[in-house]
Amino acid sequence: MKHTLPENTLLQISEFVAEHLALNFPKERWSDLERNITAAATEFGYTEVENFIQHMMSSPMTHEHVEILTTHLTINETYFWREPETFEALEQSILPELIRSRQEKKRIRIWSAGCSTGEEPYSIAIALHRAIPQIKDWNITILATDISSSRLCKSAIGQYGQRSFRSVPLWLKGKYFLPKENNMFEIIPQIKNMVKFEYLNLADNVFPSPLNDTNAMDIIFCRNVLMYFTEKRRSQVVCGLFNSLIQDGYLAVSASELSLQSLSEFTAMNFPGMILYQKTSKKLKVQQQIPVEVPVHTPMGYPWQLSPVNTIVEIEPQIRKIENEILPEAEIPLQIHSMYDKALVSYAQGNYAEVIETLQKDDQTSAERILSIRAYANQGMLVSALQSCEKAIEADKLNPGLHYLYAAILQENNQLDEAVTSLKRAIFLDSNFVLSYYSLGKIYQRLGNVKSANKCTENVLTILNTCSQNEILFESEGLVAGRFKEIIMTADQTRDLV
């Protein structure tokens, strides 16, 4: 197809969006790129596309730029019960087994990553409502995230036209929607209240994390999202999704994404008419003996320390994340000097069950106990995590990081009052503990205490303003102060719209 824009311009803009948005537009997709950039230029108020491109490539990328460009460069095409084989597998196989295994703790966590206008997470909520008769007795989390504020706003309103109901089962619209004016239909409150919509840019790679509630997921839906990323960013995102799942958790991608090489970290599981990917513990023995620094994360995903590890271990034949870079497995050098070092490597690889098994002994050191706590929490074993954390605090009462860790697990277990108390202790011990203020504000927000939530946000921003832009925050995922401030401001603006 003949292009209006010169090929060198299209090459420059494709390289630009790959670098700044991690979106992949090879030459065979330049027609799509030209059409979408033209539409974005119009929204930005430009009549000349090349002037818009020149301005965009020479100016700092703001959140507004990222959101508008990403919205135009990706297809916003979704509807209820899309790829029905996925929901049939969910209702007939995955949820029944999950419900049977959770009769005691009654807790299920599902994440719709790249939720667009909300049809997918609401479909998930409907499936759960159909599968669990006494669902009010369960602690259900359905997290729905997207990069677009406008999409999140539409999702939260929950009103849809006929196009969103194409190919849906006959019972769905009549039972779960209320007719509105102009041939629109609104999701019933019981289903709407099951879903929490939040801003999250998957390309930021800040997950798993308690700051955005993306840890210890049983199931993640990430459909028609991965195919847009560059190969390197796709591998980073898949690594984060893998670590966000508990052991034996499932990842659902679209049919068009089943062949992606980056999914080799998972085990493909066949269901009637479709495939889901499961986080299993299958391994291949590989011996490598070159020293490497392995980043270790907190139970919800935050780096706790960067420990030099000399290791020989059984590792999965997959792609791993080393210091924010994705390397082929053959390039990952590992040696082991102790069982603790082996546990560190397993943790960095998201093998939380293996961490627990490796460190299961009575005479744990302080470092081993903390790593076990984090592994328990990321595996969804909250009772064990809480008990271990209480022992750790008893031995080290003045450690603010332990109180923050304890609060994060309490919050995960829906013990909000106790979490507030623990966060206040962490702040008492460290008055500049920015993540404790932030987490406290999130809890106040959930409790409807707007005044206290706003005060916490003010404290967070005040502390961040005293930090250098590149200062790594205590108990953070390696996040620097400047980037964390930007994330907070963007999320708050989106929440105001929603």
Side-chain angles (χ1 to χ4, degrees):
M1 178 180 176
K2 187 176 180 180
H3 305 294
T4 303
L5 294 173
E7 287 205 352
N8 66 321
T9 300
L10 289 168
L11 175 61
Q12 288 177 336
I13 192 63
S14 66
E15 291 175 346
F16 178 84
V17 298
E19 178 182 355
H20 293 275
L21 304 178
L23 299 179
N24 186 31
F25 281 90
K27 190 170 183 177
E28 58 268 24
R29 293 191 61 209
W30 280 3
S31 296
D32 295 335
L33 178 62
E34 182 176 26
R35 182 178 62 255
N36 295 338
I37 284 293
T38 301
T42 301
E43 183 165 347
F44 276 104
Y46 282 80
T47 55
E48 296 293 333
V49 179
E50 290 195 67
N51 289 342
F52 166 67
I53 293 172
Q54 183 179 4
H55 169 76
M56 181 178 62
M57 294 178 65
S58 60
S59 303
M61 286 290 287
T62 66
H63 166 67
E64 181 186 20
H65 289 152
V66 171
E67 179 176 334
I68 293 177
L69 284 173
T70 304
T71 300
H72 282 286
L73 293 173
T74 57
I75 299 172
N76 180 25
E77 178 68 15
T78 185
Y79 48 91
F80 288 100
W81 229 251
R82 186 176 184 178
E83 296 183 2
E85 296 83 2
T86 303
F87 289 96
E88 289 171 10
L90 189 68
E91 287 193 326
Q92 297 173 16
S93 300
I94 298 172
L95 286 180
E97 178 58 33
L98 196 56
I99 292 165
R100 280 193 295 271
S101 66
R102 300 289 175 81
Q103 283 301 312
E104 186 173 337
K105 55 185 176 181
K106 297 188 184 305
R107 179 174 178 267
I108 294 176
R109 291 172 56 78
I110 302 178
W111 175 17
S112 171
C115 68
S116 188
T117 47
E119 288 92 335
E120 179 177 87
Y122 284 138
S123 295
I124 295 168
I126 290 170
L128 279 166
H129 187 268
R130 283 161 51 87
I132 306 176
Q134 300 298 323
I135 197 166
K136 65 180 185 300
D137 298 331
W138 285 66
N139 180 9
I140 301 290
T141 295
I142 303 175
L143 174 67
T145 65
D146 202 87
I147 192 176
S148 170
S149 300
S150 58
R151 292 175 186 172
L152 289 170
C153 184
K154 180 175 180 180
S155 299
I157 293 170
Q159 291 190 11
Y160 299 92
Q162 291 290 355
R163 187 166 176 77
S164 292
F165 297 97
R166 59 190 184 277
S167 303
V168 303
L170 293 176
W171 50 263
L172 189 142
K173 186 164 67 172
K175 185 172 182 179
Y176 291 101
F177 289 83
L178 301 172
K180 308 296 287 187
E181 296 178 352
N182 301 319
N183 204 26
M184 299 290 286
F185 294 83
E186 183 174 355
I187 193 84
I188 61 173
Q190 189 174 2
I191 299 299
K192 182 187 290 188
N193 295 336
M194 291 177 65
V195 182
K196 179 177 69 171
F197 292 97
E198 295 284 352
Y199 169 86
L200 190 144
N201 183 355
L202 288 174
D204 279 339
N205 205 28
V206 287
F207 55 90
S209 163
L211 297 183
N212 47 36
D213 202 23
T214 52
N215 58 288
M217 289 292 171
D218 295 299
I219 307 168
I220 298 176
F221 282 69
C222 189
R223 302 191 296 173
N224 301 293
V225 176
L226 298 174
M227 62 184 182
Y228 290 109
F229 289 128
T230 60
E231 184 177 350
K232 177 180 178 180
R233 187 55 56 88
R234 185 187 304 130
S235 296
Q236 291 174 331
V237 170
V238 169
C239 182
L241 296 175
F242 183 90
N243 289 345
S244 294
L245 285 166
I246 66 167
Q247 195 70 22
D248 298 323
Y250 286 93
L251 171 67
V253 299
S254 69
S256 60
E257 296 167 318
L258 293 177
S259 61
L260 294 177
Q261 179 61 34
S262 55
L263 294 170
S264 61
E265 187 152 1
F266 293 86
T267 300
M269 305 296 290
N270 288 297
F271 293 89
M274 55 90 60
I275 294 173
L276 290 176
Y277 289 94
Q278 190 173 29
K279 177 178 178 177
T280 66
S281 57
K282 291 184 178 180
K283 294 178 181 295
L284 175 69
K285 288 188 177 181
V286 179
Q287 287 193 338
Q288 297 164 316
Q289 303 182 4
I290 306 172
V292 64
E293 287 191 335
V294 178
V296 180
H297 296 70
T298 68
M300 319 313 167
Y302 286 104
W304 164 53
Q305 70 183 75
L306 194 61
S307 174
V309 181
N310 296 317
T311 313
I312 299 176
V313 294
E314 294 181 359
I315 56 176
E316 300 175 20
Q318 298 138 5
I319 293 173
R320 294 300 183 197
K321 182 168 62 177
I322 300 296
E323 295 189 26
N324 299 319
E325 294 294 330
I326 297 299
L327 302 176
E329 193 74 347
E331 297 178 30
I332 297 181
L334 299 171
Q335 281 187 338
I336 275 192
H337 282 172
S338 69
M339 297 305 289
Y340 178 64
D341 287 343
K342 181 179 179 180
L344 288 178
V345 174
S346 297
Y347 199 103
Q349 296 173 341
N351 295 324
Y352 308 123
E354 186 178 274
V355 175
I356 295 168
E357 182 180 356
T358 300
L359 298 179
Q360 198 166 41
K361 56 182 181 176
D362 294 331
D363 57 338
Q364 287 182 335
T365 65
S366 177
E368 289 172 338
R369 183 180 293 118
I370 291 171
L371 192 61
S372 295
I373 294 167
R374 292 169 171 151
Y376 278 128
N378 260 5
Q379 188 61 4
M381 302 171 66
L382 299 187
V383 174
S384 296
L386 288 171
Q387 291 173 346
S388 296
C389 203
E390 287 163 1
K391 291 180 181 177
I393 290 173
E394 183 64 28
D396 190 5
K397 294 183 176 67
L398 301 182
N399 186 331
L402 280 175
H403 290 284
Y404 170 76
L405 175 56
Y406 189 50
I409 302 167
L410 286 167
Q411 187 175 354
E412 194 76 24
N413 205 37
N414 211 31
Q415 296 175 252
L416 300 186
D417 291 338
E418 295 91 335
V420 167
T421 300
S422 194
L423 286 170
K424 287 181 177 179
R425 286 174 182 155
I427 292 168
F428 176 78
L429 293 169
D430 182 356
S431 60
N432 289 319
F433 198 161
V434 64
L435 294 191
S436 285
Y437 281 113
Y438 181 80
S439 297
L440 187 59
K442 295 279 284 186
I443 295 176
Y444 282 139
Q445 191 176 73
R446 285 181 61 183
L447 295 173
N449 189 339
V450 177
K451 182 177 179 181
S452 295
N454 290 339
K455 181 62 177 176
C456 286
T457 300
E458 290 176 11
N459 290 334
V460 168
L461 295 176
T462 298
I463 296 170
L464 290 176
N465 287 334
T466 67
C467 301
S468 66
Q469 291 289 300
N470 295 320
E471 181 178 340
I472 296 177
L473 301 171
F474 177 53
E475 286 293 333
S476 80
E477 187 182 7
L479 277 177
V480 297
R483 182 66 188 117
F484 188 47
K485 182 177 179 180
E486 183 182 337
I487 291 172
I488 292 170
M489 298 295 288
T490 301
D492 285 346
Q493 291 168 6
T494 301
R495 194 175 297 111
D496 290 341
L497 289 174
V498 172

